[in-house]
Amino acid sequence: MLQIRDLIWGLLFIGCAAAIQVQITPTQGEISVGESKFFLCEVVGDAKDIDWYAPSGEKILPNRPDIIVSRGDETMSTLTIYHANVDSAGIYKCVAKNGDKEAQATVQVKIFQKITFESAPSPQEFNEGDDADIVCNVISSPPPSIIWKHKGSKIQVAKDVRFRIMKNGHLQIRGIKKIDEGMYNCEARVMARGEIDFRMIKVVVNVLPTIRARLSEVNATADIGSSALLACDADGFPEPSVTWTHNNIVLERGDKYSLNEDGSELVIKDVKKVDEGDYTCIAKNKAGEKAEEVSLNVFVQPKITYLNNQTASEFDEQVTLTCESSGDPTPTISWSFENKVFTEGEQSLDRNIVVRSHARVSSLTLKNVLFTFAGQYLCTASNSIGQDNQHMYLEVRYAPKILGPVTVYTWEGNAANITCEVEAHPGASVVWFRDGLQLPSANTTNMKIFNTPSTSYLEINPDSQNDFGSYNCTATNVLGSESKEFLLIQAEVPSSPEIQQVEPFSSTAVVSFEEPDSMGGVPITKYRVEWRLPGQEWTGSEHDAKDDLIMITIVDLKPETTYEVKMSAVNGKGEGESSPARIFTTEPVREPSAPKLEVKVQERGNTLKVSWIKQDDGGSPIKHYLIRYKAKHVSEWKPEIRSPHDSDYVLLSGLDWNTEYEVYVVAENRQGKSEPAVISFRTATDPTTIPDAMDGGSGLGTGAIVGILIVVFFLLLVGVDVTCYFLNKCGLLMCIAVNFCGKAGPGAKSKDIEEGKAAFTKDESKEPIVEVRTEEDHTPNQGGGPTEPNETTPLTEPDGKTVKDENTKGETEVKNATAEVKTVPNEAPQTNGNESKA
């Protein structure tokens, strides 16, 4: 199939065989800037020359670099335009010549610019609040239309006045915000060609740092090896870097400073006073920088820098003590001496002590110096963060001063010391004289001298009346001397004490007295009290003299009997005269006085020991003690407990926890019962109480815990019972062995019951076990024998010998036997009609 072009050329050749025909292929051309394109000029007929001409009319020469003409054969020539630009546009002409024959053809070359993004950088960064100009430079011919998109949607500048598309195609965002950050699409279109292209531009909004100091002021103490922490918190985008400066010098990590990873915390090590000042925290990023100041206040603990010992002489006009200190805040300085504190101003009514302070210096002025001013003075410098103390010593030189009592009492054959106490500085030498002769002399063998740094003792063992009298002590140092006369006086026996009152009871009497008017010069060592039936021999007892001894109890008296009583005092010299006899009559036999009670909680908090101290027995021996107790909130008393006459306590066990009880104890003799002694007490809180488990908690329930406790208690009982069986032949196993196995029980128990050392009775009570322990010290008093006094008086026996009273300790002097009385449910202790002799 013939091509149309070949057909046309054939017709032209046939019709114009003699003419020259020129045709350019392609007939027109469009070239994008930067592209290359060629055009073929074909000649029909004989042509000697084929030339191309530029739009300017100039013949295109072969040596041009941008446009090249090449002739392939005699009928064709090629025009090639390389890397076209806008100057390459125009009408190019191809001319064919052969002699005088010429033909030409032209081609219109158009140069167009494709969409080209000359500048559309990504990312583009802006500071928050700035008017952002997002650059997107696009060229094309014809010029393109620009469309901006954000988050997949076309930006509607009519709806948001902050957005505006500039004439150059840039997108302007007024007062750009952090929320405007993201990817933007710059799209260029050329409608004539249907050409489209775009660029994605990342917009980054940088935020100016904000900075806040955690503390605007930081306090630190210097010279104690402490550190100070300065901190600021910075925010911004991108994350700012933080640096610190002090006195315009950037601080770096090192021996003095340390910084955390982001630099927000500055630690100043081993703070000194020179570190005080303002520190600047600077936060910086691409958006800019911000700074905040932190003040470091460095305080210095007080330190006393000057304080020296001073020396003065007594009666000097004045002496001044000076104390200097350093510290920040400026410390206040005070002085103290012998528990007296001296501060600014006059410190005594006589104006002899004055304190003056200026800045960091304080002076303590002592006027009219006395020897009593000597000693250790304390200077104290203090401020709000601490204090410093230092001592200094004021040495006062003074002449000797002799102190101490001037009279000494003794008697012949009893050595005595005359004490000459000397205060002096410097130390003094001491010499003793009598009648102008220095002691000891050659003819004095009964005198000795003993010296210590501050005291001289003259020991005299008088062997005659001549040794009593005046002795002289003379003390001497470089500043002077002092003498003092001492008297050695013959001691006398004391005068008689004065009986103030005799308070008789049935079998005892309490003698109240006043000490003698004259002690005889030496202390009273004992008091002697004597009593008798009128006309009979005196019976007496001696009692050590105590500061609070004003009453003596005499015991073992007969009821309704008249007695005489007298007293005398004894000192080292001997016994003084007796006081006039005082007559009294004892009371008839009556009920005993109520005992005195004490309560002591035992190791297990619901067991208590109630102890009593026997008072006057009313002239008849105590038969027994009756004990009743009950919880205060109930009206019914527990069964009465009967305790033997020589018992002094009862154990109450099995009591309710955390309950207040009251106890009545009554002493009974043949005449009747005493008034009840009453005492109240509260038991401890149950230690086994277990609080309810927390909601949703896990663990054993209360029932399980109680069950475990019961099992443990049962095992303990079994263990104790087995131990009792093998060791003491008693207990539940022993009872089973005796009753079911035919074994013989221990005979000691039945023998004890026969001897009356233990009594067991039963009633219908079901109360807890009550244990009564008794301690015997002698056989029971049968009808008017000696009985126990109360707890405030000593014991006496008929022969006048003193028996040490230990009732205040709740125990008797001798413990010969112990009996145990126990009540169990349905049992309560009772004495039988004949009464136990326990």
Side-chain angles (χ1 to χ4, degrees):
M1 182 176 181
L2 295 175
Q3 295 183 359
I4 296 176
R5 188 185 66 178
D6 295 336
L7 181 61
I8 293 173
W9 279 106
L11 293 174
L12 290 174
F13 180 78
I14 294 172
C16 305
I20 298 174
Q21 299 291 328
V22 177
Q23 181 177 353
I24 298 175
T25 304
T27 58
Q28 64 178 5
E30 287 189 353
I31 307 174
S32 174
V33 173
E35 291 185 347
S36 300
K37 197 165 186 177
F38 69 92
F39 296 91
L40 182 63
C41 179
E42 294 176 298
V43 179
V44 177
D46 293 331
K48 185 178 180 180
D49 298 316
I50 301 176
D51 298 313
W52 286 89
Y53 292 88
S56 61
E58 294 179 357
K59 182 178 179 180
I60 299 174
L61 299 176
N63 59 351
R64 289 185 59 171
D66 54 340
I67 301 176
I68 297 176
V69 175
S70 61
R71 187 166 180 175
D73 55 27
E74 294 179 353
T75 62
M76 128 181 358
S77 178
T78 302
L79 173 68
T80 303
I81 301 175
Y82 289 98
H83 307 297
N85 55 45
V86 293
D87 295 333
S88 302
I91 297 174
Y92 288 82
K93 181 170 61 174
C94 179
V95 178
K97 292 181 180 180
N98 187 2
D100 56 353
K101 293 181 181 180
E102 180 179 316
Q104 63 181 16
T106 60
V107 61
Q108 178 77 35
V109 176
K110 296 180 179 180
I111 305 298
F112 71 91
Q113 175 69 55
K114 289 175 61 177
I115 295 175
T116 302
F117 289 88
E118 289 187 325
S119 177
S122 180
Q124 297 185 37
E125 297 186 19
F126 306 95
N127 293 338
E128 187 178 40
D130 290 352
D131 291 337
D133 184 0
I134 304 176
V135 176
C136 184
N137 292 329
V138 187
I139 58 173
S140 73
S141 55
S145 60
I146 304 299
I147 297 173
W148 285 90
K149 296 180 181 179
H150 179 49
K151 295 180 180 178
S153 300
K154 181 179 178 181
I155 295 174
Q156 303 291 335
V157 295
K159 292 183 178 181
D160 193 338
V161 296
R162 293 191 309 117
F163 292 87
R164 184 175 132 192
I165 299 176
M166 312 292 287
K167 289 182 180 180
N168 57 5
H170 295 186
L171 176 64
Q172 184 186 67
I173 305 176
R174 296 187 183 94
I176 192 168
K177 301 176 183 178
K178 187 65 176 175
I179 59 174
D180 298 326
E181 193 173 66
M183 299 299 297
Y184 285 78
N185 185 348
C186 176
E187 185 175 286
R189 296 185 179 186
V190 177
M191 299 301 294
R193 293 192 298 273
E195 184 180 2
I196 185 171
D197 199 359
F198 66 90
R199 290 290 184 272
M200 297 301 295
I201 301 172
K202 181 179 181 180
V203 174
V204 177
V205 179
N206 296 324
V207 181
L208 186 69
T210 60
I211 191 168
R212 179 182 61 84
R214 296 182 193 172
L215 292 174
S216 60
E217 287 192 8
V218 175
N219 297 329
T221 302
D223 305 323
I224 61 172
S226 65
S227 299
L229 173 64
L230 281 59
C232 63
D233 297 313
D235 194 13
F237 187 87
E239 183 176 350
S241 61
V242 179
T243 57
W244 290 84
T245 65
H246 178 51
N247 296 332
N248 296 321
I249 298 174
V250 178
L251 305 181
E252 304 287 346
R253 290 181 175 90
D255 295 337
K256 183 64 178 177
Y257 305 103
S258 66
L259 295 164
N260 64 345
E261 185 175 352
D262 61 6
S264 62
E265 294 181 353
L266 171 68
V267 176
I268 304 172
K269 305 172 186 176
D270 192 16
V271 176
K272 304 291 183 183
K273 184 62 178 178
V274 294
D275 296 324
E276 187 173 64
D278 293 331
Y279 289 76
T280 304
C281 176
I282 302 171
K284 185 176 182 180
N285 65 6
K286 292 180 180 179
E289 68 178 43
K290 285 282 187 180
E292 184 78 11
E293 284 193 347
V294 179
S295 296
L296 176 63
N297 302 319
V298 178
F299 299 103
V300 181
Q301 287 186 331
K303 184 175 181 60
I304 294 175
T305 57
Y306 177 84
L307 184 67
N308 287 337
N309 295 333
Q310 295 280 355
T311 300
S313 295
E314 190 175 27
F315 309 124
D316 283 353
E317 184 176 346
Q318 68 178 36
V319 61
T320 299
L321 315 181
T322 302
C323 181
E324 296 181 10
S325 69
S326 63
D328 187 10
T330 300
T332 58
I333 299 176
S334 63
W335 296 83
S336 59
F337 174 66
E338 293 182 347
N339 299 322
K340 296 178 182 178
V341 178
F342 307 129
T343 54
E344 177 72 18
E346 296 177 353
Q347 302 299 311
S348 61
L349 296 177
D350 58 9
R351 300 183 179 181
N352 281 341
I353 302 176
V354 180
V355 176
R356 292 285 182 263
S357 297
H358 177 70
R360 292 177 168 83
V361 181
S362 177
S363 63
L364 173 65
T365 300
L366 305 173
K367 301 178 181 179
N368 301 321
V369 177
L370 300 175
F371 79 97
T372 54
F373 291 172
Q376 188 169 259
Y377 287 76
L378 176 67
C379 175
T380 301
S382 59
N383 61 15
S384 57
I385 60 169
Q387 70 176 29
D388 187 25
N389 299 308
Q390 280 194 29
H391 292 91
M392 61 83 58
Y393 190 82
L394 174 61
E395 178 185 358
V396 178
R397 297 163 57 87
Y398 57 93
K401 302 179 186 302
I402 298 177
L403 311 175
V406 296
T407 57
V408 176
Y409 290 85
T410 188
W411 56 93
E412 294 176 9
N414 183 64
N417 286 331
I418 300 177
T419 302
C420 181
E421 184 179 351
V422 179
E423 288 189 357
H425 186 71
S429 60
V430 178
V431 179
W432 289 90
F433 297 93
R434 187 178 191 199
D435 299 330
L437 297 177
Q438 183 173 341
L439 299 177
S441 61
N443 55 355
T444 55
T445 59
N446 59 343
M447 298 181 188
K448 296 179 182 178
I449 296 176
F450 303 94
N451 292 316
T452 68
S454 62
T455 306
S456 179
Y457 301 95
L458 175 61
E459 181 187 282
I460 304 174
N461 190 356
D463 50 20
S464 68
Q465 185 64 35
N466 293 333
D467 292 326
F468 295 94
S470 177
Y471 291 83
N472 176 273
C473 175
T474 300
T476 305
N477 69 0
V478 295
L479 298 178
S481 64
E482 180 170 319
S483 296
K484 193 169 187 178
E485 296 292 327
F486 291 86
L487 295 177
L488 183 64
I489 301 174
Q490 175 89 313
E492 302 292 339
V493 295
S495 61
S496 62
E498 181 181 353
I499 298 178
Q500 297 288 318
Q501 180 184 1
V502 178
E503 184 178 4
F505 297 95
S506 298
S507 61
T508 61
V510 178
V511 181
S512 301
F513 64 95
E514 284 188 358
E515 62 183 16
D517 294 333
S518 172
M519 305 292 181
V522 290
I524 292 176
T525 57
K526 294 181 181 180
Y527 286 102
R528 180 172 179 80
V529 59
E530 295 177 283
W531 64 95
R532 70 176 181 179
L533 294 172
Q536 296 187 11
E537 293 294 326
W538 290 95
T539 298
S541 61
E542 290 185 350
H543 305 270
D544 291 336
K546 299 177 182 177
D547 292 340
D548 57 350
L549 183 61
I550 59 173
M551 292 188 300
I552 294 176
T553 300
I554 55 178
V555 297
D556 297 334
L557 305 180
K558 296 179 180 180
E560 296 184 279
T561 303
T562 300
Y563 288 89
E564 292 178 325
V565 63
K566 65 179 181 178
M567 286 187 66
S568 61
V570 181
N571 65 7
K573 181 67 179 291
E575 181 178 357
E577 293 183 357
S578 297
S579 64
R582 188 78 173 261
I583 298 174
F584 67 92
T585 302
T586 54
E587 297 287 333
V589 176
R590 57 173 178 80
E591 299 85 357
S593 300
K596 290 190 176 182
L597 302 183
E598 294 178 353
V599 169
K600 184 177 181 182
V601 179
Q602 301 302 290
E603 184 174 352
R604 181 162 176 82
N606 68 338
T607 299
L608 291 103
K609 178 181 180 181
V610 180
S611 304
W612 55 82
I613 302 172
K614 186 181 76 171
Q615 303 299 297
D616 187 78
D617 60 8
S620 176
I622 300 293
K623 295 165 54 180
H624 47 248
Y625 292 93
L626 304 175
I627 300 99
R628 292 197 306 162
Y629 68 100
K630 72 178 183 69
K632 275 197 171 182
H633 65 278
V634 300
S635 58
E636 185 178 353
W637 290 88
K638 303 293 184 182
E640 187 174 75
I641 303 168
R642 180 171 295 181
S643 180
H645 70 91
D646 52 357
S647 61
D648 57 4
Y649 72 90
V650 64
L651 287 177
L652 304 179
S653 59
L655 304 177
D656 294 335
W657 294 100
N658 194 26
T659 302
E660 190 168 359
Y661 280 85
E662 57 182 354
V663 178
Y664 283 19
V665 178
V666 173
E668 185 175 2
N669 63 9
R670 287 188 175 85
Q671 293 299 113
K673 299 178 181 178
S674 69
E675 291 294 323
V678 182
I679 196 168
S680 299
F681 60 88
R682 177 177 288 275
T683 55
T685 303
D686 187 355
T688 62
T689 302
I690 301 173
D692 294 338
M694 297 176 61
D695 294 340
S698 61
L700 295 175
T702 302
I705 294 173
V706 171
I708 292 172
L709 291 176
I710 291 173
V711 171
V712 172
F713 183 71
F714 177 78
L715 293 175
L716 287 174
L717 286 179
V718 171
V720 170
D721 193 73
V722 172
T723 303
C724 291
Y725 175 80
F726 286 106
L727 295 180
N728 298 326
K729 299 300 181 182
C730 61
L732 183 61
L733 289 177
M734 190 64 201
C735 181
I736 294 174
V738 170
N739 291 286
F740 297 98
C741 300
K743 289 190 176 183
K749 291 186 178 180
S750 60
K751 184 177 180 180
D752 287 343
I753 293 175
E754 291 174 358
E755 292 178 353
K757 292 188 177 179
F760 298 85
T761 59
K762 295 184 179 180
D763 61 10
E764 297 303 317
S765 169
K766 296 183 179 180
E767 297 305 321
I769 294 174
V770 179
E771 184 181 83
V772 180
R773 300 186 185 275
T774 67
E775 296 178 2
E776 297 184 356
D777 58 350
H778 54 75
T779 56
N781 184 1
Q782 298 294 331
T787 59
E788 300 181 41
N790 61 35
E791 79 283 5
T792 63
T793 58
L795 295 177
T796 59
E797 291 184 342
D799 58 0
K801 295 182 180 179
T802 301
V803 180
K804 188 174 180 181
D805 180 5
E806 297 292 337
N807 282 339
T808 56
K809 300 179 182 178
E811 297 179 1
T812 55
E813 181 72 14
V814 182
K815 301 177 181 178
N816 294 329
T818 300
E820 225 177 347
V821 179
K822 295 184 178 179
T823 65
V824 295
N826 294 324
E827 293 182 357
Q830 301 287 338
T831 57
N832 57 28
N834 298 326
E835 299 213 2
S836 170
K837 297 183 179 179

